[in-house]
Amino acid sequence: MLGINGKQSNTETGSVNLIGGGTKIVGDINSNGDIRIDGYLVGNLSTNGKFVLGPQGVIEGNVISGNADISGEIKGTIKISESLSLKKTARIQGDIITGKLAIESGAIFNGTCNMGAKVKNINQPGEGLNAASKTA
């Protein structure tokens, strides 16, 4: 399905994936669709869509996504190409690279943050993850 300007709509980029509470996955997850995790992931997550980590969700690994709302715990690097929202229950141990960042009061973040960096196409190996490589 094409949008008004001939661009592909987000509804065709993939489905919404859900990892429920009480579920533990060991390994990497790659998706073109949106992902919500309320369980436990030991591994890296990469998606072109939106990523939501529920309040009981835990990730031990790196996260790459287009947009993200984080309410749970992440131990790893977070690279978001557009907007990252840390909710009041979020607990982050690691670095953040994002275009925009919103942090609610009560969120815990221990690491460094690089904002305004452009993370290019996350599915092209070797592209886009060197946001800190450009200098003024």
Side-chain angles (χ1 to χ4, degrees):
M1 178 179 186
L2 295 178
I4 294 173
N5 295 325
K7 296 179 181 178
Q8 187 175 10
S9 70
N10 285 338
T11 57
E12 283 194 358
T13 59
S15 60
V16 176
N17 301 288
L18 174 65
I19 298 173
T23 301
K24 181 176 182 178
I25 294 177
V26 178
D28 295 341
I29 297 175
N30 296 301
S31 174
N32 287 325
D34 297 341
I35 297 177
R36 180 181 174 98
I37 295 179
D38 291 308
Y40 200 102
L41 171 65
V42 179
N44 300 316
L45 169 71
S46 177
T47 179
N48 288 329
K50 183 174 183 175
F51 166 60
V52 175
L53 183 64
Q56 303 304 317
V58 177
I59 294 179
E60 292 183 18
N62 300 322
V63 174
I64 299 174
S65 178
N67 290 290
D69 288 341
I70 309 298
S71 298
E73 180 176 359
I74 296 178
K75 296 176 183 174
T77 300
I78 302 171
K79 296 177 182 178
I80 306 298
S81 61
E82 293 181 27
S83 178
L84 170 63
S85 177
L86 300 181
K87 305 300 183 186
K88 64 181 179 182
T89 57
R91 299 165 312 277
I92 308 299
Q93 295 278 333
D95 297 336
I96 293 174
I97 299 170
T98 185
K100 297 177 183 175
L101 176 64
I103 303 176
E104 290 184 1
S105 178
I108 298 170
F109 168 47
N110 291 310
T112 63
C113 180
N114 186 348
M115 287 181 55
K118 183 160 185 137
V119 179
K120 294 182 180 176
N121 187 349
I122 60 176
N123 284 330
Q124 297 294 322
E127 281 191 33
L129 301 180
N130 295 325
S133 65
K134 290 186 178 181
T135 58

